Amino acid sequence: MNWDKGIFTDSGGFQILSKDFLIQKSDKGVKFKDPYSGNKSLFTPEDSIRVQNDLDSDVAMAFDDVPNYGKSRNDVVDSAKRTFEWARRCKTAHQNEKQLLFGIAQGGTFSDLREKSAEQINSLDFDGYALGGLCIGEPKEKMYPAIESQIKIFDIEKPKYLMGVGSPVDILKSIQMGVDCFDSIFPTQSARRGSLFSPNGTIKIESGKYREDNSPIIEGCKCYTCRNFTKAYVHHQLFVHETFGLKLASIHNIHFVQDVMNEARKRIKEGTFDKFVVEFEKNYSAKNS
Ligand SMILES: [Zn+2]
């Protein structure tokens, strides 16, 4: 892959949530169904490290046991315990000095379990720490306290990675809490559904009112889509289910999130980040067109 910037690989733990793959999990590892051959295989923390080592990513993730949202406290306790044991095994198996290894903490939406899991994962001295198992169906009122209870425990000098969160407002609020990196399908998934990000909220581009709108999605946006195409063009592409439209919409949303992150970095340096978050949220939530 001709990409000269950082590459993260995930451990495969998130796929435990998928009923299509998972057959059974135990302390040893996860028994899963190969989606191509249908064969059953055992996938262990050591396998996860080996595969990520072969892929030669810059940041590898420890294999974790992600509990579905809504699981009982006991189930979440078991998952966090297993996540700790697997993290230990990943740490031992990981021998690639050119690759960073991040540990992932779990704990569902139980603040005390989140804290305990963060303490356990933090004790293993990883290169960075991730908050896993969030944004999987829980309400925002439970997500934010879960982030807060964990982030304060991780080593302040090391990068903190919030997995699966990608809406512009959530990103900014999480940065306020101390998160450094993110990954999410949200920008591209929203794009494919015709929701385009703008400073004034999302634009539902499939609406008939954009049929003859010859302005770009955002005036002044430097993305490939806005520099070359109008709202009417993107509207038409999505309206007739042209895959090119999905690409144009995705390019714009990813670019928008990168712009937000660049602005966040700038405002942190200037010391005006909190003000920026308030302004951004106010404008972004003001209307949904
Ligand atoms: Zn754009």
Side-chain angles (χ1 to χ4, degrees):
M1 189 156 69
N2 186 19
W3 179 253
D4 61 1
K5 295 183 181 168
I7 295 176
F8 282 60
T9 46
D10 199 2
S11 60
F14 188 71
Q15 270 59 43
I16 291 175
L17 291 177
S18 167
K19 287 189 181 71
D20 296 335
F21 295 115
L22 180 66
I23 298 171
Q24 196 186 28
K25 57 183 174 180
S26 66
D27 292 342
K28 216 169 166 192
V30 170
K31 209 176 258 182
F32 76 100
K33 190 169 69 197
D34 187 313
Y36 300 107
S37 64
N39 294 338
K40 292 170 190 168
S41 316
L42 178 72
F43 192 70
T44 65
E46 290 77 14
D47 288 328
S48 173
I49 294 300
R50 180 181 44 79
V51 171
Q52 295 183 80
N53 191 32
D54 288 349
L55 289 169
D56 202 21
S57 57
D58 301 290
V59 180
M61 305 302 297
F63 193 49
D64 57 335
D65 182 359
V66 189
N68 275 298
Y69 174 62
K71 284 277 180 192
S72 72
R73 186 181 167 90
N74 282 348
D75 285 339
V76 177
V77 168
D78 286 347
S79 289
K81 203 172 143 215
R82 194 172 281 148
T83 293
F84 182 39
E85 285 310 314
W86 287 356
R88 235 197 263 268
R89 283 165 59 186
C90 286
K91 190 86 205 295
T92 309
H94 187 257
Q95 299 295 330
N96 184 350
E97 284 177 6
K98 289 185 188 160
Q99 184 183 55
L100 300 180
L101 180 64
F102 282 20
I104 308 176
Q106 293 291 340
T109 50
F110 301 95
S111 287
D112 59 325
L113 300 184
R114 280 263 156 206
E115 278 182 29
K116 191 173 173 201
S117 181
E119 277 161 13
Q120 289 175 329
I121 299 299
N122 197 58
S123 73
L124 296 176
D125 193 25
F126 283 102
D127 299 306
Y129 296 98
L131 301 91
L134 291 170
C135 216
I136 53 170
E138 77 283 3
K140 294 258 154 88
E141 310 84 71
K142 289 192 174 181
M143 184 179 86
Y144 288 128
I147 298 169
E148 257 179 329
S149 56
Q150 220 156 41
I151 202 110
K152 62 184 183 199
I153 290 163
F154 294 132
D155 186 342
I156 198 160
E157 298 297 328
K158 292 183 178 174
K160 263 73 82 192
Y161 165 21
L162 178 54
M163 307 182 87
V165 170
S167 86
V169 172
D170 284 344
I171 286 177
L172 291 176
K173 292 196 158 189
S174 305
I175 293 173
Q176 262 180 327
M177 289 188 256
V179 176
D180 303 290
C181 35
F182 301 86
D183 84 287
S184 173
I185 59 164
F186 188 75
T188 47
Q189 187 186 61
S190 301
R192 292 195 299 272
R193 291 174 179 169
S195 286
L196 301 180
F197 300 160
S198 92
N200 301 314
T202 50
I203 295 170
K204 306 280 184 208
I205 198 68
E206 286 184 76
S207 159
K209 69 178 174 182
Y210 298 117
R211 198 165 22 224
E212 293 179 19
D213 187 329
N214 287 320
S215 65
I217 299 160
I218 302 177
E219 213 64 67
C221 175
K222 292 191 170 58
C223 86
Y224 170 77
T225 305
C226 291
R227 280 189 288 112
N228 294 288
F229 302 94
T230 62
K231 283 197 196 80
Y233 187 87
V234 180
H235 163 88
H236 176 73
Q237 294 285 320
L238 285 175
F239 193 72
V240 298
H241 306 298
E242 261 295 341
T243 52
F244 186 49
L246 307 179
K247 288 180 187 166
L248 290 178
S250 298
I251 288 168
H252 170 78
N253 275 5
I254 290 171
H255 195 275
F256 182 84
V257 173
Q258 285 178 325
D259 273 353
V260 170
M261 289 299 280
N262 286 334
E263 187 66 16
R265 287 187 195 101
K266 196 178 128 212
R267 301 294 283 263
I268 289 169
K269 281 183 192 154
E270 284 174 8
T272 57
F273 181 65
D274 289 339
K275 198 169 157 243
F276 168 57
V277 178
V278 173
E279 282 165 10
F280 185 91
E281 192 180 12
K282 199 173 128 212
N283 293 330
Y284 196 82
S285 314
K287 72 172 173 81
N288 274 315
S289 51

